[in-house]
């Protein structure tokens, strides 16, 4: 190993960072001493880069990187004992935010390199203009990370309606994806989180009509763009693991997800009573939309319906509680909330008709009956239940006779 920078130099680099002068701190790993020296010289000529250590021994490089926490590592792939691909995996596990650049004389590893979320892949002999492009790419990504706009705490991934990221103290931000397939792949891996999904299943889902060679390349590209998006939005806690090159698994680690948290809130609600109904109202309000509600993913429909039913059960329980207590105004508010979330649920219209009738609000009763009738005819090409029509006719007779 060529000796790393001493603590005094690293101290001055930290001072520069505090002054707003951001310097990329990189390490180089190559079993050839001459290659290390040439790459080090070229990087330092570019500016804005400090080579803080160079290593000929990959195992020593991993140990040293844990102490130095570099911004990026330039790694040769073909080395004795352990190759650069395996070294990069160890570095990414130890330092999740590290950027990986592969520098090699062989181009057959390119697909695998980007599958591991390498930021670049440079062929030897290294050209200065090509190295400048790589450095600019790393600096741009690091600038994005440093400019998170005051993001603090743990982010929350949101899957109610749109896919968003929500940082504490900020408004949720819709995540922009490179393609629709990239978005669906991310959603599908979340849907099956903590489970390995084999490549064949993913290809059948996303590109069923395409030949395998082309579709596997699209899969690798989509995984790369997912990882890139996660870094761009500062969601480094989520990891996509390639399992024996046969499939992928999503691990949320410390990152939160709204649908998971919301269901946990519902499952841990205390018994409904005068002292606890506010907690039920709060949990109902947290349900801001159906699971992946803006998408027509067939594979998500069962989970979408399950969560929607869980919300409805909780809402109907609260509505019935208010009715038993004689709190009509509160009950009306809950049943209108049910109606907004699930306009096909005729029970909400029927209950509101009876509640408004109890208040003597004839216009509101008629409005609810016409609303349920129009919805069922327009959306379902059917009439509402006979019991609703029969009740409404009896009510009309009573109103006209009184």
């Amino acid at each position: 190993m060529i000796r790393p920078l001493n603590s005094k130099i690293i101290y001055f680099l930290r001072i520069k960072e505090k002054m707003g002068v951001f310097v990329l701190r990189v390490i180089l790993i190559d079993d050839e001493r001459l290659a290390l020296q040439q790459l080090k010289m070229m990087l330092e000529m570019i500016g804005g880069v400090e080579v803080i250590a160079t290593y000929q021994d990959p195992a020593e490089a991993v140990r040293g990187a844990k102490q130095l926490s570099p911004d990026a590592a330039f790694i040769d792939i073909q080395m004795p004992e352990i190759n650069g691909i395996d070294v990069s995996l160890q570095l990414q596990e130890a330092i999740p935010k590290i950027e990986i650049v592969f520098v090699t004389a062989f181009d057959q590893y390119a697909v695998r390199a980007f599958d591991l979320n390498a930021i670049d892949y440079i062929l030897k002999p290294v050209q200065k203009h090509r190295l400048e492009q790589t450095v600019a790419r790393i600096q741009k990504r690091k600038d994005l990370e440093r400019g998170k706009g005051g993001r603090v705490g743990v982010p929350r991934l949101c899957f109610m309606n749109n896919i968003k990221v929500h940082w504490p103290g900020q408004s949720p931000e819709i995540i922009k994806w490179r393609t629709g397939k990239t978005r669906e792949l991310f959603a599908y891996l979340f849907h099956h989180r903590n489970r390995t999904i084999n490549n064949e299943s993913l290809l059948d889902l996303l590109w069923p009509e395409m030949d395998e060679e082309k579709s596997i390349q699209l899969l690798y590209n989509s995984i790369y763009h997912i990882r890139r998006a996660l870094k761009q939005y500062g969601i480094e806690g989520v990891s996509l693991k390639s399992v024996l090159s046969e499939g992928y698994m999503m691990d949320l680690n410390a990152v939160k997800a709204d649908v998971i948290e919301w269901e946990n809130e519902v499952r841990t609600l205390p018994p409904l009573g005068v002292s606890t109904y506010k907690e039920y109202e709060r949990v109902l309000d947290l349900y801001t939309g159906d699971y992946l509600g803006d998408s027509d993913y067939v594979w998500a429909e069962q989970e979408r319906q399950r969560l929607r039913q869980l919300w409805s059960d909780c809402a109907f329980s609260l509505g019935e509680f208010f009715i038993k207590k004689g709190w009509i105004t509160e009950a009306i508010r809950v049943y209108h909330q049910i109606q907004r979330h699930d306009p096909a649920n005729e029970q909400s219209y029927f209950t509101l008709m009876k509640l408004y009738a109890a208040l003597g609000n004839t216009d509101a009763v008629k409005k609810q009956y016409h609303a349920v009738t129009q919805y069922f005819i327009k959306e379902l090409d059917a009439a509402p239940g006979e019991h609703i029509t029969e009740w409404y006719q009896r009510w009309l007779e009573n109103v006209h006779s009184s």
Side-chain angles (χ1 to χ4, degrees), residues 259-272 276-280 282-283 286 310 314:
V259 289
I260 298 174
E261 288 194 316
W262 180 80
E263 182 168 0
N264 288 337
E265 292 257 23
V266 174
R267 301 295 184 192
T268 57
L269 279 170
L272 182 54
T276 60
Y277 75 87
K278 289 286 187 184
E279 190 68 11
Y280 281 70
R282 183 187 68 81
V283 171
L286 289 176
L310 189 62
C314 185

Side-chain angles (χ1 to χ4, degrees), residues 316 335 338-339 342 345-352 368:
F316 274 110
Y335 282 98
I338 294 171
Q339 203 171 89
D342 186 8
N345 190 315
E346 65 179 12
Q347 185 61 36
S348 64
Y349 300 90
F350 189 34
T351 303
L352 283 169
Q368 284 299 312

Side-chain angles (χ1 to χ4, degrees), residues 11 124 177 281:
Y11 169 76
K124 295 179 180 179
W177 303 95
E281 291 179 326

Side-chain angles (χ1 to χ4, degrees), residues 70-129:
D71 297 310
F74 289 72
I75 309 172
D76 184 27
I77 290 183
Q78 285 203 332
M79 294 183 289
E81 298 183 7
I82 180 173
N83 64 45
I85 299 287
D86 293 332
V87 174
S88 71
L89 288 171
Q90 293 180 33
L91 287 174
Q92 287 176 323
E93 183 176 353
I95 311 164
K97 293 185 179 182
I98 194 170
E99 302 292 351
I100 301 295
V101 179
F102 289 109
V103 185
T104 180
F106 306 94
D107 61 2
Q108 66 263 37
Y109 301 103
V111 171
R112 179 63 174 149
F114 287 114
D115 184 33
L116 296 171
N117 201 28
I119 195 169
D120 214 342
Y121 186 96
I122 304 176
L123 290 175
K124 295 179 180 179
V126 179
Q127 303 296 316
K128 185 173 182 290
H129 74 279

